[in-house]
Amino acid sequence: MNYLEELNDKQLEAVVHVDGPCLVLAGAGSGKTKVLTTRIARLIDYGIPSYNILAITFTNKAAKEMKDRLEKLVPGNYAFVGTFHSLGVRILRENADVIGYDKNYSIIDSDDALSIIKKIMKEKVYSSNDITPSYVRNKISSIKNDMLTDEEIDKYYSSGSDSIIKDVYHEYQSVLRKNNSVDFDDLLLLPVKMFMEHKDILESYQDKFKYILVDEYQDTNEVQYKLSKLLAGKYKNIFVVGDPDQSIYMFRGANFRNILNFERDYKNAKVIPLEENYRSTNNILEAANSVIKNNKERKDKKLWSSKGEGTKIKYLRAYDGKHEIQLVLDEIKKLNNDGYDYNDMSVLYRTNAQARIVEEMFLKSNVPYRVVGSYYFYNRKEIKDLICYLRLILNKDDEISLTRVINVPKRGIGEATIKKLEETARDNNTSLFDAISKGKELAFKELILELIKDSEELSLTDLIEEILSKSGIRDEYEANKSLENELRLDNLEEFKSITKTFEERTGSISLEDFLEEVSLVADISEHQEESDSVTLMTMHSAKGLEFKVVFLVGMEDGIFPHQNSFFEAQGLEEERRLCYVGITRAKERLYISNAKRRMLYGKDVINPPSRFIKEIDDNLLEVENKNMFEEEKIDKKKYYTDDDVEFRDGDVIEHDVYGKGVIVSVNGDIITVAFNKSYGIKKLLKNYKGITKV
């Protein structure tokens, strides 16, 4: 058993524990996977048959890593190492007939579930304007994961659109039954129900899996918690590993109180804290400790390392969002010159909406990067849809854009309708847009014509708002309250920052010029991903990863912690745990940054520094302020005047970019100017300082 020699005292204490409940509070970077796999090997060497051992993880990747490590320690073992869902599949396969299913039942994925729900809603004549099918699907998933009874469903889903959810849920369950099918949530719910109703079957599995190990216990939801508790009910040999300070998936139904209440569930539980961190320097760990200690609902532990103090945490204060990322890029280039690979570095942000300015600045600086867990801003579906609306407004004969958005959001216009339109257009030698004359597609045509009129009178930023409102795109995403759709809404709102910045920089509200600039930026984005590149991702995506250098950007109240968390202590504590996760990704160097002001969702906002920065001990920070005002920035007073300038049709003006031009129309704050052939006709804001009368 040479593998025991590699363990520290607390790891060894956990590994040699055999009988009875045990909670291992495994801090970030403390070697929890090593403890889990080594304990399984130790149990087998101790004389426990490997087929009596069950190890449950959350992801297939984690399960594979554990299996590979275990196979090296104990070749040919029969321990069950897998996800909660793979365990559920096995239990159901072995007992399908007990709960009224054939053994050859089908497992449907989330797309199949959505299709069934759409069909049910169509048959029951429920409008997706009232409630979207994907929202119903998510609610049905919550009902199952929270293990609600029929009485509780009646209680919580009794009025308004909620009653639709209840109705569709019961019909959905009936359809699954008839088709001998289960969904992913059933893979956990059905075994739990079966165990509760058939004590003999439960006892047979309790005798089979006498030793149970659960990874990432802080991330368990109600049904996962119940399943593991039932299986461990007879012998109480349950060994759970987790860190309540790293519970960041409340929005997915995870209940971190499951780990906090472990000692209440198992009275004689042994608790072993793993506080030695093998990843980070002590300055980084002290910062993490000083932040997380402010949470009230937690188990006390303090991370430490034998790697020495390391460098202080560098705090970059910037003038605005663009300046902030420039400061980050300057540091990245210095580190690269000092011998760090780009692969060693990561930039973490709270929301995907922040990614746009980060990616844009990286592109312009020629620093190679990769985006994890998301697409390049302009390649995201919702942004492509919005740009296609803009292209169609500019050119209603753009058939590529038309076919993309004619059914976005869904209007009941299918491929058959589009094919008929294409035939009509071909027969009449006209454009697809002009071929539209009836049906739901006519309403879409009228919408585009209305938006074309709007574009002649509104700024680009106001036009974006009209598209989001009148098209129904915003309503569709708001109706379905999923995390994915919240991110999409964030991105659409953030697009206003692009138009606003363009207007302020150029004084132009020309849709043609704007789309030309966007096309160039988006085209640059078709870069080949280089092997040595900086990683950009959200903090949620970074859990489980580590980098030599980490930059936490946008550290401002309202961004991080997110403004949605201000209304309840539980939300703020989850944000603080997310901050703890972000800090502990760094091995050698940690940077935190914020800006005095930034453009977000099309608005110039001023946020105070994040409260989490104030929670870090001052002696751990090195504050960088000297370059704050050196970055070129947009200053409204520099570019715009508050004077009410009088312009009339026929006035000759001089523009600082386009040269001389003649005003052809004045509409409120907007003037339309004819310039020479190179620039053509432009719409401009009349109070732009770059314009003077000749």
Side-chain angles (χ1 to χ4, degrees), residues 54 56 58 84 87 91 188 192 195 202 206 209 212-215 217 220-234 236-240 258 262 265-266:
L54 167 67
I56 312 174
F58 270 83
F84 274 102
L87 173 64
I91 294 169
L188 302 181
V192 168
F195 286 160
L202 170 60
Q206 290 172 335
F209 298 127
I212 298 167
L213 301 89
V214 185
D215 188 17
Y217 194 67
T220 52
N221 61 24
E222 184 61 27
V223 71
Q224 291 161 341
Y225 163 75
K226 190 72 176 175
L227 180 60
S228 54
K229 193 176 180 186
L230 283 167
L231 286 170
K234 184 174 182 180
K236 304 288 193 298
N237 294 327
I238 182 166
F239 181 94
V240 304
N258 290 340
F262 187 82
D265 292 338
Y266 303 95

Side-chain angles (χ1 to χ4, degrees), residues 323 626-633:
H323 181 209
K626 60 185 179 181
N627 296 324
M628 190 184 299
F629 296 103
E630 290 179 8
E631 178 69 11
E632 180 66 28
K633 56 192 176 291

Side-chain angles (χ1 to χ4, degrees), residues 98 111 173 279 293 318 374 412 452 481 530 628 651-652:
V98 176
D111 288 338
Q173 289 297 93
R279 176 188 298 156
K293 72 181 181 185
S374 129
I452 289 171
K481 304 267 195 274
E530 299 185 42
M628 190 184 299
D651 283 351
V652 178

